Amino acid sequence: MPEKTETILEHRLDAEGADHLLLAGVNDANLLELASTFGIRVVLRGDQMVLSGELSSVERAIPVGHHMVELARLRVPYDASDIGRFADDSRAQGETGLVAPDQEMRIALPGMRKVISPKTEGQRRYLGAIHENDVVIGIGPAGTGKTYLAVAAAVDALHKKRVKRIILARPAVEAGENLGFLPGDLQEKVDPYLRPLYDALEDMMPGERVRRALESRTIEIAPLAYMRGRTLSDAFVILDEAQNATTLQMKMFLTRLGLNSRVVITGDKTQIDLPRKEESGLLQVERILKGIGGIALIYLTGSDVIRHRLVKDIIRAYARDEGGDEE
């Protein structure tokens, strides 16, 4: 009996109005990644993206190709590393898993020629909650954009004069290393803990503008302990790595909330470095603040990871080994 052969198909997607450089990527990297992911041939011919190959493979690639074209039409940047995520989302949830760009969710960063927008449904809910609530608690694993999107929203609010300052805080908790043995004065000792906040900020504002804002204290980056005794009015306040804030520190932080202030709390319940996990303020607020108007609790999962494609698989592997979920 002869082997069954797969039907070869050529499908053309209308790419009129799409930015061809965004669509194809540098040296056609996006098209090559799409072709490799689905085992098909992909070329741009004028205003058409042509997908050719076995019927089943082309059918699976069509929603992803269509999504790429739509992003390129809206001038929403993406690169080859995103194609695998598009494919995973399409495979898991069909076309509904591919988040259509939302103009209202896009954040144009002044002076950076850069636009930030949610890349997954979880990120869309998270950013929407930040826009609509006074306090947002974002819980999820590394790489889901919890801190990055919060800092982007803070920079946007400052630029649009919705707040007068940004305050970024983190608990300075020793994760297997002794803070006392680090060289330098107190500020130099805690700076390594705050470095990820500087990195996010410097990715969204020109370096000179960041320096001036820090000098004028329009932007402040400090350990959580420095928040005690203050009232934070007209401010966008972010508490990062909140799983390492104790219950007393979390209560202190939340009661700093002043008039016209926004607070975003981010954390990963699987990365608690406190001596006793039950003392984590993040676990407590997750339990006691549900249902309060103006406070949103948003969960991000492994499907929202936007780092290297292997990060998602690593998170899932750890979740399986620990017998838990991907939160």
Side-chain angles (χ1 to χ4, degrees):
M1 182 176 177
E3 291 186 7
K4 184 179 179 180
T5 59
E6 183 78 60
T7 302
I8 301 301
L9 173 72
E10 181 176 279
H11 185 88
R12 297 171 183 267
L13 292 173
D14 179 15
E16 185 177 359
D19 183 315
H20 281 208
L21 180 58
L22 279 178
L23 179 58
V26 178
N27 295 324
D28 291 340
N30 295 344
L31 302 183
L32 292 171
E33 185 66 24
L34 179 64
S36 173
T37 299
F38 292 99
I40 61 174
R41 184 169 179 264
V42 182
V43 295
L44 274 180
R45 292 178 187 161
D47 283 334
Q48 291 184 325
M49 177 193 281
V50 183
L51 314 179
S52 56
E54 294 182 348
L55 175 61
S56 59
S57 299
V58 171
E59 286 180 338
R60 287 185 288 112
I62 287 172
V64 177
H66 179 71
H67 187 61
M68 291 168 61
V69 170
E70 287 302 307
L71 293 177
R73 281 193 178 120
L74 292 169
R75 306 300 192 266
V76 176
Y78 60 93
D79 56 35
S81 65
D82 291 314
I83 308 303
R85 178 172 52 79
F86 296 160
D88 288 344
D89 292 343
S90 177
R91 189 180 302 115
Q93 304 176 46
E95 287 194 61
T96 58
L98 295 169
V99 180
D102 188 330
Q103 293 295 104
E104 294 183 1
M105 291 285 186
R106 299 177 70 190
I107 299 173
L109 297 172
M112 296 296 287
R113 295 183 179 179
K114 189 173 186 178
V115 175
I116 293 177
S117 58
K119 294 189 173 184
T120 68
E121 182 57 34
Q123 289 190 349
R124 185 207 292 265
R125 288 186 289 104
Y126 178 57
L127 203 52
I130 291 174
H131 289 157
E132 296 169 6
N133 295 271
D134 291 331
V135 177
V136 173
I137 303 166
I139 298 175
T144 51
K146 302 184 302 296
T147 303
Y148 194 80
L149 290 175
V151 173
V155 171
D156 185 54
L158 182 66
H159 174 66
K160 293 176 178 175
K161 298 186 172 15
R162 292 172 180 165
V163 296
K164 294 181 180 178
R165 54 184 172 156
I166 296 172
I167 299 174
L168 310 175
R170 260 191 171 201
V173 173
E174 301 169 28
E177 298 176 357
N178 195 319
L179 187 65
F181 285 101
L182 292 174
D185 58 21
L186 179 61
Q187 189 61 45
E188 290 172 325
K189 287 177 186 290
V190 299
D191 267 354
Y193 294 91
L194 306 176
R195 187 69 250 172
L197 296 175
Y198 285 101
D199 290 343
L201 201 56
E202 289 168 358
D203 197 42
M204 298 177 194
M205 295 174 66
E208 181 60 24
R209 190 174 298 175
V210 172
R211 186 186 63 78
R212 290 199 308 268
L214 290 170
E215 288 177 353
S216 66
R217 300 184 75 80
T218 303
I219 297 177
E220 181 180 347
I221 303 177
L224 176 58
Y226 287 18
M227 299 296 105
R228 189 173 299 278
R230 302 177 61 183
T231 300
L232 307 175
S233 301
D234 294 310
F236 198 117
V237 190
I238 300 171
L239 174 58
D240 193 35
E241 297 289 335
Q243 74 276 0
N244 289 327
T246 65
T247 54
L248 290 177
Q249 286 177 325
M250 184 66 77
K251 181 180 179 182
M252 175 273 292
F253 173 77
L254 285 170
T255 54
R256 301 306 94 200
L257 183 63
L259 295 175
N260 190 40
S261 287
R262 292 288 177 104
V263 169
V264 178
I265 297 168
T266 71
D268 178 354
K269 293 189 294 182
T270 68
Q271 298 291 330
I272 298 174
D273 296 317
L274 295 169
R276 297 173 57 194
K277 288 190 175 183
E278 62 272 16
E279 291 181 349
S280 170
L282 182 64
L283 299 183
Q284 184 184 45
V285 296
E286 179 191 19
R287 186 176 69 252
I288 69 175
L289 297 185
K290 284 182 179 178
I292 297 179
I295 299 178
L297 195 63
I298 304 295
Y299 291 96
L300 299 167
T301 68
S303 62
D304 298 303
V305 170
I306 55 172
R307 289 183 181 170
H308 191 285
R309 62 180 181 82
L310 287 177
V311 174
K312 187 181 296 187
D313 293 334
I314 290 168
I315 289 170
R316 288 171 177 164
Y318 271 98
R320 286 194 300 270
D321 185 63
E322 295 164 3
D325 54 27
E326 294 174 18
E327 288 182 0

